[in-house]
Amino acid sequence: MRIDPTELGAERIYRLMTGIVVPRPIAWVTSLSSKGVLNLAPFSAFTFVSQKPPMLAISVGRKGADYKDTAHNILDTEEYVIHIADTPLMSAVHDSSVEHPPEISEVEHLGLETVACERIKVPRLAAAPVAMECRFRQCLEFGDAKSRLIVGEVVMFHLRDGLVNDGKVETKALDPIARIGGPRYARLGEIVTLNTVFQTPKSKD
């Protein structure tokens, strides 16, 4: 089977790519509007782009002709929190993807408890096993749809007690959820450990 992307519209290409690039980790993002409304939304085009300083990237698309609230909020306030959700939070993550007007707080609508962050004004979700306080660093636009790739620096990590062992996160204990095509999510299956291979150290520490 061959598919020529020049013959497809953006929506059909999106459905194709989100079924191919799987599983995708989910950045569950809280951000504050300029009017103080706490927004919450999930983004599955998400990865890290630097380890020193730690920097994360999310791709934020549009809702109709305008950018999503998260993009507006981050560019306005330059602060936000990226959470990693576990299985018990799957329904809340999905429900937070519903598009509400900017004056509606998804956090309040879903009845989620928050905790004050240490270095930024945006609060974090108490139930999430991982929360990363971020400050905006760069925004790039891509494609005809002008999706915004937003890069931020992590200024503080918050991890649930028991998740870190000898400096490494216990992935099975984290129990992260991932996004696949459509309104579908996945959990970790069997974890396979292979032999350690030589790699040049990334730094002296």
Side-chain angles (χ1 to χ4, degrees), residues 138-181:
Q138 190 173 4
C139 177
L140 301 172
E141 291 188 352
F142 290 94
D144 296 338
K146 297 186 181 298
S147 295
R148 286 177 166 173
L149 184 72
I150 294 176
V151 178
E153 178 182 343
V154 179
V155 296
M156 183 62 68
F157 292 94
H158 300 274
L159 296 101
R160 182 181 294 161
D161 290 342
L163 284 184
V164 180
N165 181 20
D166 193 27
K168 295 183 178 181
V169 176
E170 295 287 353
T171 309
K172 188 174 182 179
L174 175 59
D175 187 26
I177 59 174
R179 185 74 187 275
I180 52 179

Side-chain angles (χ1 to χ4, degrees), residues 3 8-26 42-46 59 61 68 147 178-186:
I3 299 174
L8 302 179
E11 192 65 28
R12 291 182 63 188
I13 294 176
Y14 174 83
R15 290 199 297 268
L16 184 65
M17 292 180 67
T18 54
I20 293 173
V21 185
V22 292
R24 298 185 305 282
I26 301 170
F43 298 91
S44 60
F46 162 52
S59 179
K68 293 184 178 180
S147 295
R179 185 74 187 275
I180 52 179
R184 296 183 296 168
Y185 298 80

Side-chain angles (χ1 to χ4, degrees), residues 67-142:
Y67 285 103
K68 293 184 178 180
D69 296 337
T70 300
H72 284 300
N73 295 347
I74 291 174
L75 295 179
D76 286 344
T77 69
E78 300 194 348
E79 295 183 342
Y80 56 107
V81 184
I82 292 180
H83 306 79
I84 303 300
D86 55 7
T87 297
L89 292 168
M90 186 182 295
S91 293
V93 170
H94 182 67
D95 291 342
S96 69
S97 66
V98 175
E99 294 182 356
H100 293 286
E103 63 271 15
I104 300 297
S105 169
E106 292 82 2
V107 174
E108 293 180 8
H109 180 72
L110 296 172
L112 298 171
E113 181 183 353
T114 62
V115 179
C117 280
E118 294 183 26
R119 298 188 177 176
I120 63 174
K121 293 179 181 179
V122 183
R124 60 187 176 92
L125 301 174
V130 175
M132 295 168 282
E133 300 180 26
C134 298
R135 287 203 180 100
F136 170 75
R137 286 294 175 262
Q138 190 173 4
C139 177
L140 301 172
E141 291 188 352
F142 290 94

